[in-house]
Amino acid sequence: FFFKQKTAYEISACLVGSEMCIRDRQQVDDVEIRSFLQQQFEWQRNKINEYNKIIKQLQSHNALLAHKISQLTQEKTEMKDCVNCHEKFSPILNNDESCSYHIGRLKYYSCRGCGADEYFSCCNRCTTCSKGCKTGRHIAKV
């Protein structure tokens, strides 16, 4: 078999057609790439906006929590009056044995411990002999 050599005209016609296909294909790819990149850019911009909103919400919540913590700290460190023992106490230091008090009524006759003129009906002792016959947590006056 003998192959015929192509002429310049036949070669250029062939190249022009293939070059056009390649050129058209590249233009389509460029449009597709631009569209894809633009979609990615828009998606990233939307995500950044969402994250910025979340950050602002968290900062707002942080500010509210910090304010609430400072209020609670101030309340906890503020001295209060106890209903039972009538002494001032700190809520932070309040525990199950902080408060000693009498549950009975004060009577005026004679203490069995020291002979004082007044005593409590619950234990027959005065405040000099016994700070209290019952212990518990301080209860703040309202």
Side-chain angles (χ1 to χ4, degrees), residues 1-108:
F1 290 92
F2 177 73
F3 293 103
K4 178 184 169 196
Q5 190 173 7
K6 292 188 177 190
T7 64
Y9 175 76
E10 289 173 334
I11 292 173
S12 65
C14 173
L15 287 176
V16 170
S18 66
E19 283 177 355
M20 287 181 67
C21 290
I22 291 170
R23 204 177 304 131
D24 290 344
R25 178 77 177 130
Q26 285 176 344
Q27 286 175 354
V28 169
D29 284 344
D30 288 345
V31 170
E32 288 175 4
I33 290 171
R34 283 187 199 141
S35 173
F36 173 77
L37 291 175
Q38 189 171 8
Q39 288 173 356
Q40 289 297 311
F41 178 76
E42 288 296 322
W43 181 83
Q44 287 175 351
R45 185 186 320 173
N46 290 336
K47 284 296 178 187
I48 289 171
N49 288 338
E50 287 177 30
Y51 293 149
N52 286 336
K53 285 179 186 177
I54 291 170
I55 288 170
K56 286 180 184 178
Q57 288 174 347
L58 289 173
Q59 288 171 339
S60 174
H61 289 301
N62 268 350
L64 289 173
L65 286 174
H67 179 68
K68 189 66 174 173
I69 287 170
S70 71
Q71 280 182 333
L72 290 172
T73 304
Q74 185 178 4
E75 287 176 12
K76 290 286 187 180
T77 57
E78 186 178 300
M79 297 298 282
K80 306 209 182 233
D81 292 320
C82 181
V83 173
N84 295 325
C85 68
H86 306 289
E87 293 180 9
K88 290 203 175 281
F89 71 96
S90 170
I92 294 174
L93 302 175
N94 197 9
N95 61 44
D96 291 335
E97 297 178 4
S98 299
C99 183
S100 294
Y101 60 97
H102 294 280
I103 56 173
R105 293 180 172 249
L106 191 61
K107 293 195 172 191
Y108 298 96

